[in-house]
Amino acid sequence: MFRTALRNVLAHKARLLMTVFAVMLGVTFVTGSLVYGDSQKQANTDRASAGYDRISLNVSPGAVPGGPPGTLDARTAASLAEVPGVAAAAGRVNGFAAVADPEGRLLGSAEFRKGGNFAPAKDGTDPAYAFVEGSGPVGGKAVALDEASAAKGGYHVGDTVRVGTSTGAESYRLSGVFRTDASKLTPAGSLVLFADATAQKLFLQPGRYTDIEITAAPGTDSAQLLSRVEAVIPKDSTAVTGAFLARLQANRASTGSDTMSQIMVGFAAVALFVATFLISNTFTMLVSRRTRELALMRAVGATRKQVRRILLTESVLVGVIASVAGIVAGSGVAALLQAVFSSAESPDAPLTLLPSTVIIALVVGTALPVLAAWVPVRRAMAIPPVAALGAAERAAPARAGSLRTGIGSALLVTGAAATLYGSLGARADDARTVIGLGAALALTGALALIPLLSRPFTALLRPLLLRCSPVHGDLAARNTVRDPRRTGATASALAIALALASGLSVLGASATQYLDGATTRDITADYFVQAPSGGQRMTPATAEPLKKLSGATFSPLNQSTEYEIGGVRSVLTGVDPAAIGRLLRYEVTSGSLDSLGQGKVAVADYKARANGWKVGQSLPVKRLEQQGEVTIGAIYHADEQSKVLPSITAPDSLVARFDSTPHTDSIVVATAGGPGRAQLASVVKALGDNPALSVLDKESIRSEDTSGIGDQLGIFYAMLSMALVIAALGIANTLAMSVLERRKEIGTLRALGLDRAGVTRMIRIEALLVGALGAAVGTVMGIFMGWALGNTLQESVAGYALVIPWGRLALGVLLALAGALLASLLPARRAARVDIPAATAAH
């Protein structure tokens, strides 16, 4: 049986080539995803744990829960240096420090801009830093900069560098450029080193350290040294080994890599699912064409089970060949992904092909053709040998009363109902799960019903076809509906890819519009000043220099917490009553915003509605040990997720009565001449040219808020393109097999006067009809899923509304049609070259 199956595979290798290619693409995606993920995971864990081998022990202070981080004093460092077996005890200081290039652009990623101290040993060097230029900073006006940041900013030793910290911004002389490891510098971040005393003054207090790194003397046992150190350090402090820290960092680094790998494997599963339709379609056509051959085998003594084994063995051979090719190609794809996405955050790394990846690829690539071939093989085995020898099996058209139609209709109705319930009636916690299951059922039902849709869809387009190309359009329409199951299976692969792409487009466009307006629509000021994530903590004093800016109107948004107003936990945001109305857009629905000048508060409508508050109502207020009373002077409409409009707006004088150190969340500024390059420069200069502060106009805010969505959608679209490629292969394979089946018919048409160009046009129109059917079903399903998922956000994200990106959806349809047209090139060329005498003489 194996020899027979092998002979059959070789005999039909041309027809199976597309199937092999489709399986290979799916396995390539799976292998590439796993290899890329494993390689990045290994690279990230190696890099994250690098450098900890030079640390024997690390001592960190205790901290009061909910309080500020603890510190260690210089006496503890000195005591640790005297412990037997300790070669050195270096006190480390860590904090936020932002450095800008000469043009004022911040260097490094927002969350990883760090400052530290240069802690030289007795020989004048710090083992944590290797200087490639200059030396470590000495004195209060010198700094050193990491090599990547120095290169990006164009800095060299002796240059003046502007650095912003939590205490403000100052200019320093660059004393050196260094290299270090991940224990000190996060990839894509920046690191500024200060002299020891300067770093303590900027980030902590004189004589205090964030932690202490201990280097053991040669030959010292780490377990014994740990016990000696624990006897010296304060009781609330903790000592751990460098090996423990390395494992901890490695585990943290592997989490992000695992997530990315899982996302990629998810898209690989989609590609494999799409490939299933191509494989099933191909085996259906092959088995149909070999009905007489199979019947003859059974007539001469082969049992039904033996013939089934031969066919399934063929599918296994196809799967093994495709899997091996896919593993090789997948490794190449992983290398390509590394080249494309290689950056400071995602470094290039040696490819890691694990045995588990090979096993998964072989199992998936082999099982997929077997499962896809199972139904057509069973269908062929159900035909009696005598009937099969008389005539080849004719494909049964999809009927309204068939089992497939009944199941598909049930799945579609059930899925649609579940999706509607999830988007309109389910609890927020369960809605996405219900919608996900409902969408999967609805999509499966729609795919089952596509054969039924092929006839009415073709009839709908028939008038257009007849107008554009009467003869060729009519022939193409007839050929398309000749075998609805084949047409439906071919279109289904395209429908899946378009459904996912369209759904992502709808969600992305809706989220982009929401984010676009969530901040900018509430700001009428020209500029929005904020501190980067993890950076300087702004206070009301941060905005004071803006008073010197001629014609400027500004107000800090001073956030103060831990209030109980009317028994409800609340946050107050203090503003300048005289300026805030010109800086933020308050849509007052009751009362007047001028009441802020009278010491009253303004409340967002969602906050007032939730607590039954009304204008004129006086409420008791309590913060810590202080008590008082506030009166509501206005209620305004606000989005609960707004980044700017607070839940309760209060005059800054009221906040100052209860909180002497509020946190300034941001500063809104309007300049005399409106937004412009000169005005922006004047605001930046007034704030002290502080790299730790970002001054954004509305366009910058919009770009910052929406750029992440665009980047993610781009990656997802790139991944879905694999499914589109497989769907196009399915169209090409179906047309190629169809041309083989219709050689006599095509030869007859040629004999009757249809020229080669006409045959080519007919095949291309058939491809476009199949592509249009898949694109239409997929786009409609995608819009439905995007609407349903987006609807679950409306309760928690006020202001979210459905946006249908017609341009992007149209582009998706055009790409699908273009893919279908490209897929038809080879089959159309082959059809045009059919030999007329040989074809018309064939039986």
Side-chain angles (χ1 to χ4, degrees):
M1 284 188 294
F2 178 79
R3 288 197 300 270
T4 303
L6 181 60
R7 186 181 66 250
N8 289 334
V9 168
L10 294 176
H12 300 94
K13 55 181 177 296
R15 302 174 189 177
L16 289 170
L17 182 61
M18 288 293 185
T19 301
V20 171
F21 196 44
V23 178
M24 187 196 76
L25 280 178
V27 174
T28 296
F29 208 161
V30 171
T31 304
S33 301
L34 294 175
V35 171
Y36 176 75
D38 292 336
S39 301
Q40 290 302 305
K41 180 178 180 180
Q42 187 63 47
N44 287 334
T45 53
D46 289 346
R47 186 176 60 178
S49 58
Y52 289 95
D53 54 351
R54 63 173 175 75
I55 302 174
S56 301
L57 299 176
N58 183 272
V59 180
S60 57
V64 178
T71 59
L72 295 168
D73 58 24
R75 288 178 298 178
T76 301
S79 300
L80 289 172
E82 300 299 324
V83 172
V86 172
R92 297 296 180 189
V93 179
N94 299 313
F96 171 83
V99 59
D101 65 13
E103 301 298 325
R105 293 183 293 265
L106 287 175
L107 302 176
S109 179
E111 298 180 3
F112 308 116
R113 298 183 179 116
K114 297 181 179 180
N117 66 319
F118 177 68
K122 295 178 181 179
D123 60 357
T125 64
D126 189 329
Y129 308 104
F131 280 83
V132 297
E133 186 180 351
S135 59
V138 177
K141 289 297 181 180
V143 295
L145 195 59
D146 71 274
E147 187 178 28
S149 297
K152 189 174 181 180
Y155 288 120
H156 299 281
V157 171
D159 289 347
T160 299
V161 180
R162 190 75 173 170
V163 181
T165 64
S166 58
T167 60
E170 287 191 51
S171 296
Y172 298 86
R173 182 185 64 84
L174 185 64
S175 67
V177 177
F178 60 86
R179 292 175 182 168
T180 186
D181 49 56
S183 68
K184 297 301 176 188
L185 176 61
T186 304
S190 63
L191 177 60
V192 183
L193 291 183
F194 300 87
D196 198 59
T198 305
Q200 291 175 338
K201 178 182 176 182
L202 290 173
F203 303 130
L204 301 175
Q205 294 175 353
R208 310 298 297 187
Y209 294 107
T210 306
D211 55 16
I212 299 173
E213 293 177 357
I214 295 175
T215 304
T220 303
D221 181 75
S222 58
Q224 293 180 353
L225 183 60
L226 179 62
S227 61
R228 295 175 198 157
V229 166
E230 287 177 335
V232 174
I233 61 176
K235 293 182 179 180
D236 60 347
S237 300
T238 304
V240 296
T241 64
F244 173 82
L245 291 176
R247 290 194 300 271
L248 181 64
Q249 294 300 322
N251 290 335
R252 290 176 177 174
S254 66
T255 302
S257 300
D258 288 341
T259 302
M260 182 60 184
S261 182
Q262 290 167 4
I263 293 174
M264 295 180 68
V265 170
F267 280 96
V270 172
L272 287 170
F273 184 55
V274 172
T276 304
F277 289 90
L278 190 161
I279 300 165
S280 180
N281 217 17
T282 301
F283 272 95
T284 298
M285 291 184 287
L286 283 176
V287 171
S288 176
R289 287 186 57 81
R290 295 167 57 192
T291 301
R292 295 172 63 89
E293 172 193 335
L294 299 175
L296 182 60
M297 292 176 62
R298 291 176 58 192
V300 297
T303 65
R304 181 178 297 180
K305 183 178 295 186
Q306 287 175 323
V307 176
R308 183 186 298 116
R309 286 179 181 174
I310 290 173
L311 293 174
L312 294 178
T313 302
E314 292 178 24
S315 67
V316 171
L317 288 173
V318 168
V320 171
I321 294 170
S323 298
V324 173
I327 291 171
V328 175
S331 300
V333 168
L336 180 63
L337 288 173
Q338 284 190 336
V340 172
F341 295 112
S342 179
S343 64
E345 297 90 343
S346 180
D348 194 6
L351 292 180
T352 304
L353 180 61
L354 300 177
S356 59
T357 299
V358 176
I359 294 173
I360 291 172
L362 286 172
V363 170
V364 170
T366 304
L368 188 64
V370 174
L371 293 174
W374 183 259
V375 173
V377 168
R378 286 195 61 186
R379 189 179 299 156
M381 293 301 97
I383 303 174
V386 175
L389 283 171
E393 177 193 10
R394 296 184 63 183
R399 299 184 300 273
S402 67
L403 178 62
R404 177 194 183 111
T405 302
I407 295 176
S409 300
L411 289 174
L412 180 61
V413 172
T414 303
T419 305
L420 289 172
Y421 170 72
S423 62
L424 300 176
R427 293 186 310 165
D429 295 340
D430 304 327
R432 290 178 182 82
T433 302
V434 173
I435 288 174
L437 293 174
L441 291 176
L443 182 58
T444 305
L447 296 178
L449 293 176
I450 280 186
L452 282 180
L453 298 175
S454 62
R455 291 186 183 277
F457 183 81
T458 303
L460 181 65
L461 295 181
R462 190 184 186 91
L464 178 62
L465 296 176
L466 294 178
R467 179 177 300 178
C468 297
S469 183
V471 176
H472 313 99
D474 183 58
L475 289 172
R478 291 176 182 273
N479 291 330
T480 302
V481 299
R482 177 181 295 181
D483 190 339
R485 283 180 178 168
R486 180 186 301 179
T487 300
T490 306
S492 295
L494 196 58
I496 296 170
L498 262 293
L500 293 175
S502 300
L504 286 173
S505 295
V506 171
L507 279 175
S510 302
T512 298
Q513 177 173 286
Y514 164 74
L515 291 174
D516 185 21
T519 299
T520 56
R521 68 164 174 251
D522 296 331
I523 299 178
T524 54
D526 299 325
Y527 299 105
F528 188 72
V529 182
Q530 61 182 14
S533 175
Q536 174 180 354
R537 180 181 174 87
M538 294 195 298
T539 67
T542 306
E544 289 297 311
L546 292 173
K547 291 181 178 179
K548 302 177 183 178
L549 191 59
S550 177
T553 303
F554 68 92
S555 174
L557 305 182
N558 300 318
Q559 198 171 82
S560 182
T561 61
E562 300 182 29
Y563 288 86
E564 284 192 12
I565 299 179
V568 178
R569 294 183 65 85
S570 304
V571 175
L572 290 186
T573 300
V575 299
D576 181 351
I580 196 62
R582 300 195 298 274
L583 301 171
L584 297 182
R585 180 175 286 107
Y586 281 88
E587 298 179 16
V588 178
T589 58
S590 180
S592 172
L593 199 64
D594 293 337
S595 61
L596 291 174
Q598 304 168 13
K600 299 179 181 179
V601 298
V603 182
D605 52 359
Y606 63 85
K607 182 83 171 180
R609 190 165 49 248
N611 299 289
W613 295 346
K614 298 180 180 179
V615 170
Q617 185 175 355
S618 295
L619 300 169
V621 58
K622 178 181 178 182
R623 184 179 188 273
L624 302 178
E625 302 301 321
Q626 305 176 74
Q627 297 185 17
E629 188 176 78
V630 295
T631 301
I632 299 175
I635 294 177
Y636 53 90
H637 175 69
D639 181 352
E640 192 169 353
Q641 304 299 320
S642 174
K643 292 184 177 182
V644 178
L645 289 181
S647 59
I648 302 179
T649 305
D652 46 18
S653 58
L654 176 63
V655 170
R657 280 175 23 209
F658 291 90
D659 187 358
S660 60
T661 58
H663 163 61
T664 298
D665 183 69
S666 54
I667 306 169
V668 281
V669 186
T671 55
R677 181 174 298 181
Q679 289 81 355
L680 174 63
S682 65
V683 173
V684 171
K685 184 176 181 180
L687 292 171
D689 286 321
N690 190 344
L693 298 178
S694 297
V695 182
L696 307 173
D697 58 15
K698 290 186 180 180
E699 189 59 37
S700 300
I701 297 171
R702 184 179 294 111
S703 176
E704 192 174 83
D705 286 346
T706 59
S707 61
I709 292 180
D711 294 342
Q712 292 176 3
L713 285 178
I715 294 174
F716 291 158
Y717 288 149
M719 292 180 176
L720 284 175
S721 64
M722 184 69 74
L724 285 172
V725 171
I726 295 175
L729 287 176
I731 296 175
N733 206 25
T734 299
L735 290 175
M737 299 293 286
S738 177
V739 167
L740 287 174
E741 291 177 354
R742 293 156 49 196
R743 288 182 70 250
K744 183 173 183 179
E745 174 190 323
I746 293 172
T748 303
L749 290 173
R750 291 289 315 282
L752 293 175
L754 189 65
D755 59 9
R756 288 186 174 182
V759 173
T760 300
R761 186 178 301 174
M762 176 183 69
I763 298 299
R764 289 177 179 174
I765 294 175
E766 290 179 33
L768 289 174
L769 283 173
V770 174
L773 175 60
V777 173
T779 302
V780 171
M781 289 297 299
I783 293 174
F784 177 67
M785 289 189 294
W787 166 81
L789 287 172
N791 219 39
T792 63
L793 302 175
Q794 289 185 347
E795 286 189 10
S796 57
V797 183
Y800 179 92
L802 176 69
V803 175
I804 300 180
W806 295 111
R808 199 175 298 173
L809 295 179
L811 179 61
V813 172
L814 289 176
L815 289 175
L817 294 178
L821 193 60
L822 288 173
S824 70
L825 294 180
L826 187 59
R829 184 180 180 186
R830 183 173 298 172
R833 292 184 174 184
V834 167
D835 183 74
I836 298 175
T840 53
H843 296 286

